Amino acid sequence: MINQKLLFARAYEKEGCAEIPSEARPRFHMTPCVGWTNDPNGFSFYKNQYHLFYQYNPYKTVWDSMHWGHVVSDDLLNWKYLPCAMAPDEPYDSDGVFSGSAVELPDGKQLLMYTGVLKEGGDHGKDIQTQCIAVGDGLDYHKYENNPVLDASDLPEGMSRNDFRDPKIWREADGTYRCVIGTRIPEKEGAIILFSSPDGFQWKYESILIRNDGRFGLMWECPDFFELDGKHVLLCSPQDMLPDGFEYHNGNGTLCLIGQMDGERKHFSYEHHQSVDYGIDFYAPQTTLAPDGRRIMIAWMQNWDTCDQQGAQERKWFGQMTLPRELTIHNGRLYQKPIRELDQYRSNKVEYKNVTVEGNVTLPGIEGRIVDMEITIRPKDKDAMYRKFGVWFAQNEKFKTTLSYKPYESTLKIDRKCSGSRRAYIHQRRSLVPAKNGEVKLRLILDKFSVEVFVNDGEQVMTATFMTDIAAKGISFFADGQVEMDITKYDLFAEE
Ligand code: FRU
């Protein structure tokens, strides 16, 4: 039986979605059917398709009562809306169906594990957060009658039942299940805890996988934990981070820890830490394993601190997901590449080699807002280092978004202050990018209202959204000094 609240949401979104023309959305970045989205949830491959659920308020373009929206895709780029999967319609989740994940059961059903939220003592009370389950067929999901499956009584002494959320579930080779969940241990803040289950329904506390110990922000949200290239990787999104050099500038940021599990597979220690993304808009990444073995990550392409200043209220949708990215580890660091499925949508190749950039330069055929563009730069004369190189895009007489590189500082900067915003929120971010043999390689993916810059073959990524009028399609280059540049540019999805 589908609950009234879910039926209502499904009817509402159907109408709302029909009112949004496809031109008003990015071409291949997932946006909510209508209303608001934040975290990606339940990212999975199930019944021969990728499924992506998302934190969703269909009724307004602001965060409020959380539902799970639902889309599917064959190629991770063309998303089809399915009916809203879950509404906050049970006593244990009436204040929100918060983030979670998905796994396929041996009987072919799909299990969703999520955080149910109930406010203690009414609207202004504190959250009671518990872990809940729903089972379905890829379209309709039924909440488990014994929900919640994990609550405060499953937590060791001292761990917060108010901050206990975002289960990421997986199946072990022996058919049993594990999940990691974020919580708070008050004196030293965030921790990730590990649970186990024989069947996905009955859960047992195992261990503190890792605790923050005051190092990275406060509460750790949205953990993900997996093996990659012989290491274990923990991704999570710490709230309230302090910047550390060029790392962790986003307030609510993202953290990647690379290391090892202990012999008992209960504790994780890290050898390396880094931000997942060095731009402005990136939070709550979640990964899945593709059938061909690739570890693919998608994240919310937004920054919590700027949502209410980006004109959300005036739009019919707000919030988008990043391009899905393939993850690998090289030299102990996390590398990211755009999923290779994107290559099939490249067309209208325009290529220039050894172009001298000095002052401002435009090149015939280089423009557009749905673009995949690879640029390699080096000094024209090795003995005369240039002072600055830049590319302007989403540009016309009024607007431009800028990516610039200063070789003397080894810094790459994204700057969106002239990108349609009338507000003074954060518009710039810099990242430390040492040149490799004198060269810097940049791959820029533009999809109308965002740029994702993959630096030096994916060693770093900088992501930012902007609101520039879609008519601003210009792309040009500038250099203080002399730069030699190779460029290959494609339109994406050009058939439209
Ligand atoms: C992260 C987060 C999660 C929570 C969800 C609620 O962005 O705060 O911890 O489950 O959003 O929408």
Side-chain angles (χ1 to χ4, degrees):
M1 246 274 293
I2 296 179
N3 192 301
Q4 278 306 318
K5 213 165 176 181
L6 184 58
L7 285 177
F8 190 80
R10 286 181 169 188
Y12 184 91
E13 68 177 1
K14 207 169 171 190
E15 258 182 45
C17 195
E19 285 171 17
I20 306 176
S22 59
E23 306 83 73
R25 300 182 188 267
R27 177 58 186 83
F28 54 93
H29 286 74
M30 205 293 291
T31 50
C33 193
V34 59
W36 162 278
T37 190
N38 52 293
D39 316 348
N41 294 156
F43 188 29
S44 51
F45 190 79
Y46 175 64
K47 290 191 178 168
N48 289 320
Q49 281 188 310
Y50 291 97
H51 286 249
L52 180 67
F53 302 82
Y54 53 93
Q55 285 288 280
Y56 180 35
N57 178 15
Y59 303 114
K60 270 192 170 169
T61 46
V62 295
W63 188 90
D64 204 339
S65 134
M66 282 293 109
H67 296 56
W68 273 33
H70 190 184
V71 284
V72 285
S73 176
D74 293 328
D75 61 4
L76 294 159
L77 295 163
N78 291 289
W79 296 102
K80 181 176 158 224
Y81 292 108
L82 292 187
C84 179
M86 290 194 281
D89 52 16
E90 292 290 340
Y92 49 82
D93 65 15
S94 56
D95 287 302
V97 176
F98 274 21
S99 284
S101 49
V103 77
E104 184 170 348
L105 293 170
D107 66 1
K109 293 262 166 55
Q110 192 179 36
L111 179 147
L112 310 180
M113 189 171 187
Y114 68 95
T115 300
V117 178
L118 173 67
K119 291 241 182 257
E120 209 166 10
D123 272 0
H124 300 293
K126 278 192 168 175
D127 284 3
I128 303 176
Q129 303 191 336
T130 57
Q131 314 316 318
C132 307
I133 275 171
V135 175
D137 59 1
L139 197 60
D140 295 316
Y141 293 84
H142 299 282
K143 292 180 184 168
Y144 179 44
E145 66 269 18
N146 295 330
N147 274 343
V149 294
L150 282 171
D151 64 17
S153 65
D154 299 290
L155 285 170
E157 198 49 44
M159 288 186 190
S160 170
R161 66 187 197 131
N162 308 113
D163 287 298
F164 174 38
R165 58 181 175 273
D166 309 336
K168 176 70 200 279
I169 185 173
W170 70 93
R171 194 151 170 236
E172 291 275 304
D174 65 2
T176 62
Y177 299 83
R178 299 285 179 282
C179 78
V180 282
I181 304 180
T183 188
R184 234 177 223 257
I185 307 178
E187 49 331 339
K188 295 285 189 180
E189 300 302 343
I192 302 301
I193 41 182
L194 179 69
F195 292 83
S196 67
S197 168
D199 55 5
F201 293 86
Q202 291 166 286
W203 287 91
K204 177 167 132 277
Y205 172 81
E206 288 289 338
S207 57
I208 299 182
L209 187 73
I210 184 168
R211 44 192 292 166
N212 185 6
D213 284 331
R215 290 171 294 200
F216 304 105
L218 302 179
M219 166 71 188
W220 286 6
E221 298 189 307
C222 302
D224 197 345
F225 190 58
F226 49 88
E227 285 184 56
L228 185 66
D229 297 332
K231 298 277 179 195
H232 272 91
V233 177
L234 177 75
L235 304 180
C236 65
S237 299
Q239 294 180 310
D240 308 301
M241 295 189 93
L242 286 172
D244 175 8
F246 283 90
E247 304 281 341
Y248 315 127
H249 281 242
N250 274 352
N252 295 322
T254 50
L255 176 65
C256 169
L257 299 176
I258 299 178
Q260 305 286 353
M261 287 284 258
D262 64 350
E264 282 181 81
R265 295 175 70 82
K266 288 199 172 183
H267 306 280
F268 168 71
S269 53
Y270 67 89
E271 301 141 9
H272 169 78
H273 67 93
Q274 64 174 95
S275 304
V276 184
D277 192 282
Y278 292 81
I280 307 173
D281 294 301
F282 188 91
Y283 198 68
Q286 190 173 89
T287 71
T288 192
L289 208 51
D292 60 9
R294 285 176 296 163
R295 178 62 62 176
I296 299 181
M297 177 182 74
I298 193 163
W300 186 38
M301 191 157 60
Q302 187 55 48
N303 178 316
W304 271 117
D305 291 344
T306 61
C307 300
D308 53 354
Q309 299 170 70
Q310 285 196 313
Q313 313 267 15
E314 297 121 50
R315 308 201 220 159
K316 288 195 155 62
W317 63 266
F318 185 78
Q320 45 180 321
M321 300 302 164
T322 62
L323 183 63
R325 304 173 183 176
E326 296 176 13
L327 303 184
T328 49
I329 295 177
H330 290 294
N331 306 322
R333 276 188 67 90
L334 185 74
Y335 272 64
Q336 302 168 50
K337 286 201 171 171
I339 43 157
R340 61 196 69 165
E341 284 81 346
L342 195 64
D343 298 355
Q344 65 192 301
Y345 297 105
R346 288 169 150 190
S347 59
N348 303 336
K349 179 174 178 181
V350 180
E351 192 170 34
Y352 296 93
K353 295 260 184 226
N354 303 322
V355 179
T356 301
V357 183
E358 188 178 11
N360 295 352
V361 170
T362 52
L363 295 168
I366 307 276
E367 62 163 20
R369 284 285 283 269
I370 310 179
V371 159
D372 184 350
M373 180 163 72
E374 289 173 328
I375 301 172
T376 305
I377 53 168
R378 52 194 166 263
K380 183 161 171 68
D381 171 356
K382 281 204 185 69
D383 301 320
M385 183 54 84
Y386 60 96
R387 284 165 294 280
K388 189 174 175 183
F389 166 83
V391 46
W392 289 321
F393 52 93
Q395 181 197 15
N396 62 10
E397 320 70 55
K398 232 181 181 167
F399 301 115
K400 63 173 187 279
T401 310
T402 310
L403 185 70
S404 57
Y405 185 69
K406 285 189 178 165
Y408 288 106
E409 291 178 357
S410 299
T411 55
L412 184 68
K413 183 167 92 175
I414 182 84
D415 183 340
R416 62 169 183 198
K417 64 179 171 299
C418 300
S419 310
S421 166
R422 295 172 193 270
R423 300 268 75 88
Y425 55 86
I426 282 290
H427 290 310
Q428 298 182 2
R429 177 108 326 129
R430 287 186 311 153
S431 183
L432 203 58
V433 173
K436 303 248 152 109
N437 302 321
E439 290 192 340
V440 178
K441 274 169 100 172
L442 306 167
R443 181 169 173 195
L444 281 74
I445 311 244
L446 304 181
D447 186 9
K448 295 190 190 174
F449 310 112
S450 66
V451 62
E452 290 164 274
V453 185
F454 294 82
V455 183
N456 287 336
D457 298 310
E459 189 177 17
Q460 286 183 27
V461 190
M462 293 182 94
T463 299
T465 59
F466 47 84
M467 294 174 288
T468 318
D469 183 342
I470 197 70
K473 286 188 171 25
I475 298 175
S476 58
F477 308 89
F478 67 91
D480 179 0
Q482 285 192 322
V483 169
E484 192 173 78
M485 173 177 81
D486 302 333
I487 176 165
T488 310
K489 177 245 161 190
Y490 301 89
D491 293 322
L492 291 168
F493 296 90
E495 73 278 9
E496 284 182 49

